[in-house]
Amino acid sequence: MAQVQSAFRFVQTGAQIGKIVLSANPDEQVHVVPQPVGVTTRAQLRSDASYLVVGGVGGIGRSVVQFLVAHGAKNLILLSRSAGDLDLDKNKSTDGALFLRELRDMGCRVKPVSCDIGLPSSLTKTLRACENDGLPPVRGVIQGAMLLRDAIFEQMTLDDWRSGLSPKLYGTWNLHTEFSQPDSLDFFIMLSSVSGVVGIASQTNYAAGGSYEDAMACWRQSRGLPGVAIDLGPISDIGYVSTSSKVAERLRKDGDFIMLDEDIVLRALNAAITHPLDSRPQMIVGLNSSPGPQWDANGRSQLGRDARFLPLRPITKTSSSSAEGESSGASLSSLLSSAADTQAAVEFIGSAIATKLADIFMMPVGEIDLAKPPAHFGVDSLIAVELRNMLVLQAAADISIFNILQTSSLAALAALVAEKSRFLQSS
Ligand SMILES: NC(=O)c1ccc[n+]([C@@H]2O[C@H](COP(=O)([O-])OP(=O)(O)OC[C@H]3O[C@@H](n4cnc5c(N)ncnc54)[C@H](OP(=O)(O)O)[C@@H]3O)[C@@H](O)[C@H]2O)c1
């Protein structure tokens, strides 16, 4: 058995036709990989209960609803700010209306309701209306509301902050308030995001909402109430990311996440439904723990820069003998510490900035003309964050996003960095 790996390698070579037999010695220990929770146990839902899905007519919401129906649900309350419109005559040929018709044709009772869950009165009114309509009591809640208002924090308006946060923070609190009676629910699941775990520079509002959902799951479980937050990574075939190749490409390029698909999302959902209380309250699905440039401490990804993720980092030759980026970062700092004069330091910094931009824009470093402003190369606020992180780590200079975006040229930026660098001040 100890040779199982070589046996498979041998099969791979194609040198052998026929069987290869492995035998276990009596004293040999065979490692058994436990089956992931929820993979084999199929969720069984009640036909005499209602299930509430917030965002149930959205991208992932529809897939979630189909899953619930396939597992026995017959009564569905689907909430979103505009869900009720799908029953209007003028919308009868829209995708959303066709989705509802399919569910009804399958014998389900479906109530789409327009409701802003960020407003407690709106949610309470909706739930009372469902009761009055004779829908059975809600036994399961899935919170999948999201509103993206992305911007770098320094450029985020208060309105963006509130709008992005509200469905997840106030919405989740309002749902919790409505469903906090012991034994009233079989499950309470929040579709949260890895954004709250890793931190995406342009999504502080969304990330804060996701972290709130994670905390809510812990808190509910600590009080004996069902609560699981599924922190999903980007999904390639359903939901918002699947509709924007630009967003998908950016997330893929960052390298922090692996692209998920519908099947994985539904497996995670199945696990959360079948283990509403005895599993971990926070399920993180989609961090890229395989070897790769995302572990570079000075790279564009968060994973390598944040010590919290160290336990996930694969032990490879590259990581154990210090990542390439770390050594290049160390060399800029030592170059600055030993720079003969400010002019020499400015040149080192200019060259590091050019290398970084060449890497980001995948162009030869010789094409980065330091006399040009950052905007000339397409530096936007997200890339400015990357540049700032690099300058903080490698030049010990705290430069604002504003400074980077507004500087008249990369050379002027290099001069500003030299002026602020702690390496140069101490020499
Ligand atoms: N797509 C991904 O790759 C991905 C990755 C990680 C996590 N997630 C999570 O998965 C869930 C679903 O995402 P999705 O991709 O399917 O997005 P989506 O298609 O935009 O769905 C979000 C839904 O939330 C509803 N909503 C927004 N604000 C609301 C409010 N105040 N009250 C009630 N409903 C509200 C929207 O409908 P109205 O506009 O009509 O209100 C929409 O139906 C979200 O919780 C998200 O955080 C998605």
Side-chain angles (χ1 to χ4, degrees), residues 84-141:
D85 296 351
L86 295 176
D87 269 345
L88 298 178
D89 229 24
K90 62 173 185 179
N91 292 327
K92 67 178 180 209
S93 50
T94 59
D95 273 2
L98 293 176
F99 166 69
L100 298 183
R101 200 175 312 146
E102 272 172 28
L103 294 172
R104 287 168 178 154
D105 288 348
M106 288 160 78
C108 296
R109 189 162 175 201
V110 188
K111 193 167 170 64
V113 191
S114 295
C115 162
D116 182 344
I117 49 154
L119 305 172
S121 53
S122 175
L123 180 61
T124 308
K125 208 171 107 197
T126 299
L127 294 174
R128 296 301 88 84
C130 291
E131 262 172 42
N132 294 340
D133 269 7
L135 276 150
V138 173
R139 294 294 313 178
V141 172

Side-chain angles (χ1 to χ4, degrees), residues 227-422:
V228 176
I230 309 178
D231 293 343
L232 295 166
I235 302 150
S236 61
D237 52 353
I238 48 169
Y240 165 74
V241 174
S242 71
T243 62
S244 166
S245 53
K246 208 173 144 199
V247 175
E249 189 43 38
R250 181 165 54 78
L251 291 166
R252 196 176 286 123
K253 219 167 133 198
D254 279 353
D256 285 329
F257 314 114
I258 44 170
M259 278 284 168
L260 305 175
D261 62 18
E262 181 179 19
D263 182 53
I264 295 180
V265 175
L266 296 180
R267 278 167 188 258
L269 181 69
N270 190 66
I273 291 177
T274 48
H275 296 267
L277 263 167
D278 56 352
S279 67
R280 302 233 163 110
Q282 186 182 4
M283 291 168 58
I284 303 174
V285 195
L287 291 187
N288 185 3
S289 58
S290 55
Q294 75 276 19
W295 296 109
D296 179 349
N298 293 312
R300 56 187 299 129
S301 304
Q302 284 291 106
L303 291 185
R305 287 206 301 257
D306 190 331
R308 290 178 304 151
F309 301 111
L310 268 182
L312 289 180
R313 186 174 177 161
I315 300 177
T316 59
K317 277 188 186 150
T318 330
S319 63
S320 56
S321 64
S322 158
E324 284 162 34
E326 280 167 21
S327 53
S328 67
S331 66
L332 176 63
S333 54
S334 53
L335 284 172
L336 291 179
S337 307
S338 58
D341 52 28
T342 309
Q343 187 49 40
V346 171
E347 276 166 31
F348 291 139
I349 296 165
S351 150
I353 291 174
T355 308
K356 182 76 184 171
L357 292 183
D359 178 45
I360 293 173
F361 294 112
M362 290 186 281
M363 60 199 284
V365 71
E367 287 181 19
I368 306 285
D369 180 354
L370 294 179
K372 298 263 179 347
H376 174 82
F377 302 97
V379 173
D380 60 12
S381 45
L382 272 182
I383 291 171
V385 169
E386 253 184 73
L387 211 50
R388 181 180 65 176
N389 289 342
M390 187 273 271
L391 294 169
V392 168
L393 282 166
Q394 299 185 21
D398 200 358
I399 302 290
S400 73
I401 302 292
F402 180 81
N403 281 149
I404 294 176
L405 292 173
Q406 296 301 317
T407 187
S408 57
S409 69
L410 295 176
L413 177 62
L416 181 68
V417 174
E419 201 183 303
K420 294 201 167 196
S421 170
R422 288 201 302 281

